Amino acid sequence: MDKRILIPTDFSKNALNATRYSLDLYAKLNCEFYFLNIFRLDNYTTSTLIMPEPGSAEYEAAKEASEVAFAKLLDMLELHHDNPKHSYHTISSFNFLSEAIKQTIASKDIDLVIMGTQGATGAKGIIFGSNTVNAMETIRECPVMAIPDELRFSTPKEIVFPTNYKSTFSRKELNYLIEIAKMHNTAIRVVHFTKKTTLAEDQEAHKKLLDDILESVDHSFHTLTDKDVAQGITSFVESRNSDMIAFINKKHFLFNSIFSRPLVKEIGYDATVPILALNES
């Protein structure tokens, strides 16, 4: 069964970097990659009430520019990433990004969305562009992975998985994490932040279940007492030279706060690893 991966692109260097990382990460799997570009019209703003129609000169010119850029992208991928297991599709859309992503997930049965952390207008010091943060917060249909600017792919040796053990786990919500670990022989480091020395009974049960679910991959459990979760994760990743952070994007959850503005900045003016937001099943 092919994996279907959606990569939104604005043809920036950062988007290209996220594409390269994705192709390398999933090099061993049969994948269909869907590239999505949102084209804009120079004279159109949200305050203009007249929507440009398909067929109008302005609309068609903007769409054609998007398609020309896609042709260049595909030529380059063929030259540098000629993997017989991979096939490519392009979608040019005049829409809001989050809306276009959701429509594409539904119409193409997408398994995973992978994005660069900044677009062409990426401001220095803001590590996750608002589009990426927004996608991680609003897309519940499939996991979203964010790739930091200028990160070169290397085989992931260790993935950090922060949790508070407060709710139960399922194999379904963790299958993308386990799949990556199996593909690359990657260890999963489960990190629990707490001020207490013992777990409550239900937390112990959830930890035991997680241990069972991860039994097919190398994994270990760690406890940290940092008051600040984002800072704690960052320090743990830096001290161990970990390669990725994965977490379950619960609707009401401690780690949602990582993606609020101050903590986004905190987790990294220099974020160096991809972040995989899994969705609870």
Side-chain angles (χ1 to χ4, degrees):
M1 166 84 176
D2 286 3
K3 183 167 287 299
R4 291 162 169 250
I5 297 174
L6 174 61
I7 304 177
T9 181
D10 55 3
F11 308 113
S12 65
K13 201 172 131 210
N14 183 241
L16 178 60
N17 190 57
T19 299
R20 286 181 171 141
Y21 188 95
S22 314
L23 299 182
D24 287 336
L25 185 67
Y26 285 97
K28 296 172 187 169
L29 286 198
N30 290 323
C31 295
E32 289 189 55
F33 288 93
Y34 289 83
F35 296 104
L36 170 67
N37 174 245
I38 304 302
F39 61 87
R40 288 275 167 262
L41 278 66
D42 293 339
N43 298 334
Y44 173 71
T45 62
T46 42
S47 58
T48 315
L49 293 177
I50 303 153
M51 284 287 285
E53 289 292 320
S56 71
E58 198 185 7
Y59 181 99
E60 293 304 326
K63 186 169 188 226
E64 189 185 349
S66 170
E67 288 165 355
V68 166
F70 266 139
K72 282 184 190 161
L73 174 65
L74 293 183
D75 281 348
M76 198 178 60
L77 294 183
E78 230 166 83
L79 206 61
H80 296 288
H81 290 271
D82 188 17
N83 186 337
K85 289 178 179 285
H86 292 171
S87 58
Y88 306 126
H89 310 271
T90 63
I91 302 163
S92 298
S93 172
F94 179 76
N95 202 340
F96 294 106
L97 179 64
S98 55
E99 198 50 45
I101 289 175
K102 284 183 178 252
Q103 283 176 8
T104 309
I105 290 170
S107 65
K108 304 298 182 189
D109 191 23
I110 296 296
D111 296 301
L112 172 69
V113 176
I114 301 183
M115 306 175 71
T117 50
Q118 297 176 342
T121 56
K124 264 279 173 252
I126 303 286
I127 187 67
F128 290 111
S130 55
N131 284 335
T132 312
V133 175
N134 189 33
M136 288 194 155
E137 285 173 347
T138 58
I139 292 166
R140 298 278 169 193
E141 297 81 357
C142 71
V144 179
M145 185 185 289
I147 311 297
D149 197 13
E150 293 183 14
L151 179 76
R152 288 278 165 269
F153 178 81
S154 62
T155 304
K157 297 281 184 288
E158 182 171 284
I159 299 172
V160 175
F161 182 72
T163 179
N164 58 9
Y165 300 123
K166 285 196 176 157
S167 42
T168 192
F169 299 97
S170 78
R171 287 172 200 281
K172 190 178 163 207
E173 65 194 359
L174 291 166
N175 63 4
Y176 287 90
L177 175 60
I178 292 167
E179 179 181 71
I180 291 169
K182 283 183 169 173
M183 273 191 301
H184 298 287
N185 213 7
T186 309
I188 296 171
R189 306 301 176 207
V190 180
V191 181
H192 175 224
F193 291 88
T194 183
K195 294 174 189 63
K196 298 175 185 161
T197 49
T198 55
L199 293 175
E201 203 176 316
D202 61 336
Q203 287 177 302
E204 281 289 2
H206 297 152
K207 181 179 178 181
K208 170 79 176 74
L209 175 61
L210 181 60
D211 196 18
D212 290 346
I213 291 172
L214 297 177
E215 68 176 345
S216 61
V217 296
D218 179 10
H219 65 284
S220 59
F221 295 90
H222 306 259
T223 304
L224 297 181
T225 52
D226 298 62
K227 288 191 217 45
D228 186 295
V229 172
Q231 193 52 55
I233 293 170
T234 304
S235 307
F236 188 84
V237 167
E238 282 174 359
S239 68
R240 299 173 60 92
N241 216 1
S242 309
D243 303 287
M244 189 179 288
I245 298 166
F247 73 102
I248 295 170
N249 197 6
K250 303 257 179 216
K251 289 177 184 68
H252 310 288
F253 192 42
L254 169 72
F255 292 109
N256 275 355
S257 62
I258 286 176
F259 294 103
S260 67
R261 270 298 166 177
L263 285 175
V264 165
K265 288 177 183 172
E266 210 177 305
I267 205 170
Y269 279 121
D270 309 304
T272 51
V273 300
I275 293 192
L276 173 63
L278 303 160
N279 289 299
E280 58 185 328
S281 51

